[in-house]
PDB file of all heavy atoms in Angstrom:
ATOM      1  N   ILE R 260      23.065 -16.468  26.397  1.00 55.00           N
ATOM      2  CA  ILE R 260      24.401 -15.972  26.187  1.00 55.00           C
ATOM      3  C   ILE R 260      24.379 -14.700  25.311  1.00 55.00           C
ATOM      4  O   ILE R 260      25.049 -13.715  25.625  1.00 55.00           O
ATOM      5  CB  ILE R 260      25.283 -17.061  25.499  1.00 55.00           C
ATOM      6  CG1 ILE R 260      25.503 -18.211  26.458  1.00 55.00           C
ATOM      7  CG2 ILE R 260      26.625 -16.440  25.065  1.00 55.00           C
ATOM      8  CD1 ILE R 260      26.221 -17.877  27.739  1.00 55.00           C
ATOM      9  N   ILE R 280      27.536 -15.793  17.217  1.00 86.00           N
ATOM     10  CA  ILE R 280      26.399 -16.320  16.455  1.00 86.00           C
ATOM     11  C   ILE R 280      26.911 -17.081  15.213  1.00 86.00           C
ATOM     12  O   ILE R 280      26.401 -18.153  14.872  1.00 86.00           O
ATOM     13  CB  ILE R 280      25.475 -15.178  16.023  1.00 86.00           C
ATOM     14  CG1 ILE R 280      24.747 -14.620  17.259  1.00 86.00           C
ATOM     15  CG2 ILE R 280      24.458 -15.645  14.985  1.00 86.00           C
ATOM     16  CD1 ILE R 280      23.943 -13.346  16.999  1.00 86.00           C
ATOM     17  N   HIS R 285      27.423 -22.113  12.301  1.00 93.00           N
ATOM     18  CA  HIS R 285      28.207 -23.091  11.576  1.00 93.00           C
ATOM     19  C   HIS R 285      28.190 -24.468  12.258  1.00 93.00           C
ATOM     20  O   HIS R 285      28.422 -25.480  11.599  1.00 93.00           O
ATOM     21  CB  HIS R 285      29.657 -22.623  11.387  1.00 93.00           C
ATOM     22  CG  HIS R 285      29.809 -21.604  10.294  1.00 93.00           C
ATOM     23  ND1 HIS R 285      29.664 -20.250  10.526  1.00 93.00           N
ATOM     24  CD2 HIS R 285      30.086 -21.723   8.967  1.00 93.00           C
ATOM     25  CE1 HIS R 285      29.838 -19.580   9.363  1.00 93.00           C
ATOM     26  NE2 HIS R 285      30.103 -20.463   8.415  1.00 93.00           N
ATOM     27  N   PHE R 313      19.403 -15.768   2.744  1.00 95.00           N
ATOM     28  CA  PHE R 313      18.603 -16.886   2.260  1.00 95.00           C
ATOM     29  C   PHE R 313      19.221 -18.208   2.663  1.00 95.00           C
ATOM     30  O   PHE R 313      18.542 -19.161   3.115  1.00 95.00           O
ATOM     31  CB  PHE R 313      18.485 -16.806   0.726  1.00 95.00           C
ATOM     32  CG  PHE R 313      17.692 -17.928   0.105  1.00 95.00           C
ATOM     33  CD1 PHE R 313      16.304 -17.840   0.032  1.00 95.00           C
ATOM     34  CD2 PHE R 313      18.322 -19.080  -0.377  1.00 95.00           C
ATOM     35  CE1 PHE R 313      15.577 -18.897  -0.529  1.00 95.00           C
ATOM     36  CE2 PHE R 313      17.612 -20.124  -0.923  1.00 95.00           C
ATOM     37  CZ  PHE R 313      16.222 -20.018  -0.996  1.00 95.00           C
ATOM     38  N   ALA R 327      12.663 -18.787  11.051  1.00 96.00           N
ATOM     39  CA  ALA R 327      13.416 -18.883   9.792  1.00 96.00           C
ATOM     40  C   ALA R 327      12.463 -19.221   8.645  1.00 96.00           C
ATOM     41  O   ALA R 327      12.619 -18.692   7.532  1.00 96.00           O
ATOM     42  CB  ALA R 327      14.526 -19.937   9.910  1.00 96.00           C
ATOM     43  N   GLN R 336       8.384 -14.589  -1.200  1.00 96.00           N
ATOM     44  CA  GLN R 336       7.228 -13.738  -1.522  1.00 96.00           C
ATOM     45  C   GLN R 336       7.685 -12.457  -2.249  1.00 96.00           C
ATOM     46  O   GLN R 336       7.041 -12.019  -3.205  1.00 96.00           O
ATOM     47  CB  GLN R 336       6.478 -13.392  -0.249  1.00 96.00           C
ATOM     48  CG  GLN R 336       5.189 -12.599  -0.500  1.00 96.00           C
ATOM     49  CD  GLN R 336       4.461 -12.290   0.828  1.00 96.00           C
ATOM     50  OE1 GLN R 336       5.082 -12.194   1.883  1.00 96.00           O
ATOM     51  NE2 GLN R 336       3.172 -12.120   0.750  1.00 96.00           N
ATOM     52  N   LEU R 349       4.034 -19.700   0.362  1.00 96.00           N
ATOM     53  CA  LEU R 349       2.829 -20.243   0.980  1.00 96.00           C
ATOM     54  C   LEU R 349       3.145 -21.489   1.778  1.00 96.00           C
ATOM     55  O   LEU R 349       2.682 -21.674   2.921  1.00 96.00           O
ATOM     56  CB  LEU R 349       1.774 -20.568  -0.087  1.00 96.00           C
ATOM     57  CG  LEU R 349       0.377 -20.860   0.417  1.00 96.00           C
ATOM     58  CD1 LEU R 349      -0.311 -19.597   0.840  1.00 96.00           C
ATOM     59  CD2 LEU R 349      -0.454 -21.555  -0.705  1.00 96.00           C
ATOM     60  N   GLN R 372      -5.919 -13.177   0.873  1.00 96.00           N
ATOM     61  CA  GLN R 372      -6.686 -11.976   0.562  1.00 96.00           C
ATOM     62  C   GLN R 372      -6.355 -11.449  -0.845  1.00 96.00           C
ATOM     63  O   GLN R 372      -7.217 -10.952  -1.554  1.00 96.00           O
ATOM     64  CB  GLN R 372      -6.398 -10.876   1.594  1.00 96.00           C
ATOM     65  CG  GLN R 372      -7.243  -9.631   1.387  1.00 96.00           C
ATOM     66  CD  GLN R 372      -6.965  -8.554   2.433  1.00 96.00           C
ATOM     67  OE1 GLN R 372      -5.992  -8.619   3.171  1.00 96.00           O
ATOM     68  NE2 GLN R 372      -7.840  -7.558   2.521  1.00 96.00           N
ATOM     69  N   VAL R 377      -2.271 -18.722  -4.510  1.00 94.00           N
ATOM     70  CA  VAL R 377      -3.461 -19.463  -4.099  1.00 94.00           C
ATOM     71  C   VAL R 377      -4.665 -18.719  -4.631  1.00 94.00           C
ATOM     72  O   VAL R 377      -4.607 -17.554  -4.921  1.00 94.00           O
ATOM     73  CB  VAL R 377      -3.506 -19.572  -2.552  1.00 94.00           C
ATOM     74  CG1 VAL R 377      -3.763 -18.206  -1.922  1.00 94.00           C
ATOM     75  CG2 VAL R 377      -4.525 -20.566  -2.084  1.00 94.00           C
ATOM     76  N   LYS R 426      -6.879  -1.405  18.675  1.00 98.00           N
ATOM     77  CA  LYS R 426      -5.895  -2.314  19.271  1.00 98.00           C
ATOM     78  C   LYS R 426      -4.548  -2.186  18.591  1.00 98.00           C
ATOM     79  O   LYS R 426      -3.497  -2.181  19.209  1.00 98.00           O
ATOM     80  CB  LYS R 426      -6.385  -3.755  19.154  1.00 98.00           C
ATOM     81  CG  LYS R 426      -7.543  -4.108  20.107  1.00 98.00           C
ATOM     82  CD  LYS R 426      -7.961  -5.569  19.933  1.00 98.00           C
ATOM     83  CE  LYS R 426      -9.084  -5.928  20.891  1.00 98.00           C
ATOM     84  NZ  LYS R 426      -9.496  -7.345  20.755  1.00 98.00           N
ATOM     85  N   ASN R 437      -3.594   5.175   9.974  1.00 96.00           N
ATOM     86  CA  ASN R 437      -4.127   5.788   8.768  1.00 96.00           C
ATOM     87  C   ASN R 437      -5.606   5.389   8.562  1.00 96.00           C
ATOM     88  O   ASN R 437      -6.450   6.257   8.300  1.00 96.00           O
ATOM     89  CB  ASN R 437      -3.309   5.357   7.556  1.00 96.00           C
ATOM     90  CG  ASN R 437      -3.889   5.874   6.251  1.00 96.00           C
ATOM     91  OD1 ASN R 437      -3.809   7.051   5.926  1.00 96.00           O
ATOM     92  ND2 ASN R 437      -4.527   5.004   5.489  1.00 96.00           N
ATOM     93  N   LYS R 462       0.520  10.879  12.775  1.00 96.00           N
ATOM     94  CA  LYS R 462       1.306   9.800  13.405  1.00 96.00           C
ATOM     95  C   LYS R 462       1.766   8.784  12.328  1.00 96.00           C
ATOM     96  O   LYS R 462       2.907   8.325  12.362  1.00 96.00           O
ATOM     97  CB  LYS R 462       0.504   9.099  14.475  1.00 96.00           C
ATOM     98  CG  LYS R 462       0.260   9.945  15.712  1.00 96.00           C
ATOM     99  CD  LYS R 462      -0.519   9.187  16.769  1.00 96.00           C
ATOM    100  CE  LYS R 462      -0.738  10.033  18.019  1.00 96.00           C
ATOM    101  NZ  LYS R 462      -1.517   9.294  19.065  1.00 96.00           N
ATOM    102  N   GLY R 484     -10.203  20.107   9.242  1.00 88.00           N
ATOM    103  CA  GLY R 484      -9.521  19.874  10.518  1.00 88.00           C
ATOM    104  C   GLY R 484      -8.294  20.743  10.722  1.00 88.00           C
ATOM    105  O   GLY R 484      -7.699  20.746  11.788  1.00 88.00           O
ATOM    106  N   ASN R 486      -6.282  24.636   9.031  1.00 94.00           N
ATOM    107  CA  ASN R 486      -6.455  25.787   8.159  1.00 94.00           C
ATOM    108  C   ASN R 486      -6.018  25.418   6.743  1.00 94.00           C
ATOM    109  O   ASN R 486      -4.951  24.816   6.544  1.00 94.00           O
ATOM    110  CB  ASN R 486      -5.638  26.979   8.668  1.00 94.00           C
ATOM    111  CG  ASN R 486      -6.109  27.522   9.976  1.00 94.00           C
ATOM    112  OD1 ASN R 486      -7.319  27.522  10.247  1.00 94.00           O
ATOM    113  ND2 ASN R 486      -5.208  27.960  10.821  1.00 94.00           N
ATOM    114  N   CYS R 495       3.019  17.892   1.480  1.00 95.00           N
ATOM    115  CA  CYS R 495       2.602  16.540   1.803  1.00 95.00           C
ATOM    116  C   CYS R 495       2.541  15.670   0.538  1.00 95.00           C
ATOM    117  O   CYS R 495       3.021  14.531   0.547  1.00 95.00           O
ATOM    118  CB  CYS R 495       1.242  16.539   2.497  1.00 95.00           C
ATOM    119  SG  CYS R 495       1.267  17.221   4.178  1.00 95.00           S
ATOM    120  N   LEU R 501       7.213  11.558  -4.267  1.00 95.00           N
ATOM    121  CA  LEU R 501       8.614  11.202  -4.482  1.00 95.00           C
ATOM    122  C   LEU R 501       8.867   9.725  -4.118  1.00 95.00           C
ATOM    123  O   LEU R 501       9.829   9.114  -4.589  1.00 95.00           O
ATOM    124  CB  LEU R 501       9.533  12.088  -3.701  1.00 95.00           C
ATOM    125  CG  LEU R 501       9.647  13.544  -4.204  1.00 95.00           C
ATOM    126  CD1 LEU R 501      10.401  14.420  -3.200  1.00 95.00           C
ATOM    127  CD2 LEU R 501      10.347  13.584  -5.568  1.00 95.00           C
ATOM    128  N   ALA R 522       4.334  27.680  -7.943  1.00 97.00           N
ATOM    129  CA  ALA R 522       4.253  28.442  -9.182  1.00 97.00           C
ATOM    130  C   ALA R 522       3.636  27.563 -10.288  1.00 97.00           C
ATOM    131  O   ALA R 522       3.991  26.394 -10.419  1.00 97.00           O
ATOM    132  CB  ALA R 522       5.624  28.938  -9.614  1.00 97.00           C
ATOM    133  N   PHE R 532       1.636  13.909 -13.780  1.00 98.00           N
ATOM    134  CA  PHE R 532       0.525  13.123 -14.310  1.00 98.00           C
ATOM    135  C   PHE R 532       1.045  11.866 -15.013  1.00 98.00           C
ATOM    136  O   PHE R 532       0.459  10.785 -14.870  1.00 98.00           O
ATOM    137  CB  PHE R 532      -0.308  13.970 -15.276  1.00 98.00           C
ATOM    138  CG  PHE R 532      -1.135  15.070 -14.654  1.00 98.00           C
ATOM    139  CD1 PHE R 532      -1.380  16.242 -15.339  1.00 98.00           C
ATOM    140  CD2 PHE R 532      -1.723  14.871 -13.417  1.00 98.00           C
ATOM    141  CE1 PHE R 532      -2.155  17.231 -14.771  1.00 98.00           C
ATOM    142  CE2 PHE R 532      -2.508  15.867 -12.831  1.00 98.00           C
ATOM    143  CZ  PHE R 532      -2.742  17.046 -13.521  1.00 98.00           C
ATOM    144  N   TYR R 552      -5.903  17.325 -24.834  1.00 96.00           N
ATOM    145  CA  TYR R 552      -7.095  17.891 -25.447  1.00 96.00           C
ATOM    146  C   TYR R 552      -6.966  19.402 -25.632  1.00 96.00           C
ATOM    147  O   TYR R 552      -7.353  19.952 -26.645  1.00 96.00           O
ATOM    148  CB  TYR R 552      -8.326  17.571 -24.551  1.00 96.00           C
ATOM    149  CG  TYR R 552      -9.623  18.073 -25.107  1.00 96.00           C
ATOM    150  CD1 TYR R 552     -10.310  17.364 -26.092  1.00 96.00           C
ATOM    151  CD2 TYR R 552     -10.219  19.236 -24.628  1.00 96.00           C
ATOM    152  CE1 TYR R 552     -11.521  17.798 -26.602  1.00 96.00           C
ATOM    153  CE2 TYR R 552     -11.425  19.676 -25.150  1.00 96.00           C
ATOM    154  CZ  TYR R 552     -12.076  18.962 -26.115  1.00 96.00           C
ATOM    155  OH  TYR R 552     -13.266  19.415 -26.644  1.00 96.00           O
ATOM    156  N   ALA R 571      -9.147   5.720 -18.614  1.00 97.00           N
ATOM    157  CA  ALA R 571      -9.679   6.145 -17.318  1.00 97.00           C
ATOM    158  C   ALA R 571     -11.166   5.814 -17.205  1.00 97.00           C
ATOM    159  O   ALA R 571     -11.649   5.352 -16.147  1.00 97.00           O
ATOM    160  CB  ALA R 571      -9.492   7.664 -17.140  1.00 97.00           C
ATOM    161  N   GLN R 574     -12.038   2.417 -16.118  1.00 96.00           N
ATOM    162  CA  GLN R 574     -11.858   2.199 -14.696  1.00 96.00           C
ATOM    163  C   GLN R 574     -12.977   2.850 -13.855  1.00 96.00           C
ATOM    164  O   GLN R 574     -12.929   2.818 -12.622  1.00 96.00           O
ATOM    165  CB  GLN R 574     -10.494   2.735 -14.228  1.00 96.00           C
ATOM    166  CG  GLN R 574      -9.302   2.025 -14.798  1.00 96.00           C
ATOM    167  CD  GLN R 574      -8.021   2.481 -14.181  1.00 96.00           C
ATOM    168  OE1 GLN R 574      -7.768   2.253 -12.964  1.00 96.00           O
ATOM    169  NE2 GLN R 574      -7.141   3.121 -14.953  1.00 96.00           N
ATOM    170  N   GLY R 575     -13.948   3.484 -14.560  1.00 96.00           N
ATOM    171  CA  GLY R 575     -15.081   4.099 -13.845  1.00 96.00           C
ATOM    172  C   GLY R 575     -14.884   5.542 -13.473  1.00 96.00           C
ATOM    173  O   GLY R 575     -15.671   6.084 -12.706  1.00 96.00           O
ATOM    174  N   ASP R 578     -15.379  11.707 -14.651  1.00 96.00           N
ATOM    175  CA  ASP R 578     -15.005  12.883 -15.477  1.00 96.00           C
ATOM    176  C   ASP R 578     -14.502  12.428 -16.824  1.00 96.00           C
ATOM    177  O   ASP R 578     -14.803  13.019 -17.873  1.00 96.00           O
ATOM    178  CB  ASP R 578     -13.927  13.695 -14.755  1.00 96.00           C
ATOM    179  CG  ASP R 578     -13.754  15.066 -15.404  1.00 96.00           C
ATOM    180  OD1 ASP R 578     -14.719  15.840 -15.434  1.00 96.00           O
ATOM    181  OD2 ASP R 578     -12.637  15.343 -15.891  1.00 96.00           O
ATOM    182  N   GLN R 580     -15.335   9.613 -18.341  1.00 97.00           N
ATOM    183  CA  GLN R 580     -16.480   9.113 -19.084  1.00 97.00           C
ATOM    184  C   GLN R 580     -17.209  10.270 -19.789  1.00 97.00           C
ATOM    185  O   GLN R 580     -17.621  10.171 -20.947  1.00 97.00           O
ATOM    186  CB  GLN R 580     -17.444   8.369 -18.146  1.00 97.00           C
ATOM    187  CG  GLN R 580     -16.872   7.071 -17.622  1.00 97.00           C
ATOM    188  CD  GLN R 580     -17.680   6.447 -16.514  1.00 97.00           C
ATOM    189  OE1 GLN R 580     -18.482   7.125 -15.848  1.00 97.00           O
ATOM    190  NE2 GLN R 580     -17.525   5.150 -16.304  1.00 97.00           N
ATOM    191  N   ASN R 581     -17.369  11.366 -19.067  1.00 96.00           N
ATOM    192  CA  ASN R 581     -17.996  12.557 -19.651  1.00 96.00           C
ATOM    193  C   ASN R 581     -17.149  13.104 -20.802  1.00 96.00           C
ATOM    194  O   ASN R 581     -17.679  13.417 -21.882  1.00 96.00           O
ATOM    195  CB  ASN R 581     -18.176  13.634 -18.598  1.00 96.00           C
ATOM    196  CG  ASN R 581     -18.730  14.930 -19.192  1.00 96.00           C
ATOM    197  OD1 ASN R 581     -19.868  14.998 -19.631  1.00 96.00           O
ATOM    198  ND2 ASN R 581     -17.891  15.950 -19.218  1.00 96.00           N
TER     199      ASN R 581
END
Side-chain angles (χ1 to χ4, degrees):
I260 293 298
I280 291 171
H285 282 88
F313 180 86
Q336 185 180 26
L349 191 75
Q372 184 179 14
V377 68
K426 288 180 179 180
N437 176 74
K462 289 181 179 179
N486 293 325
C495 290
L501 289 170
F532 287 148
Y552 182 80
Q574 295 188 65
D578 194 60
Q580 291 171 338
N581 175 67

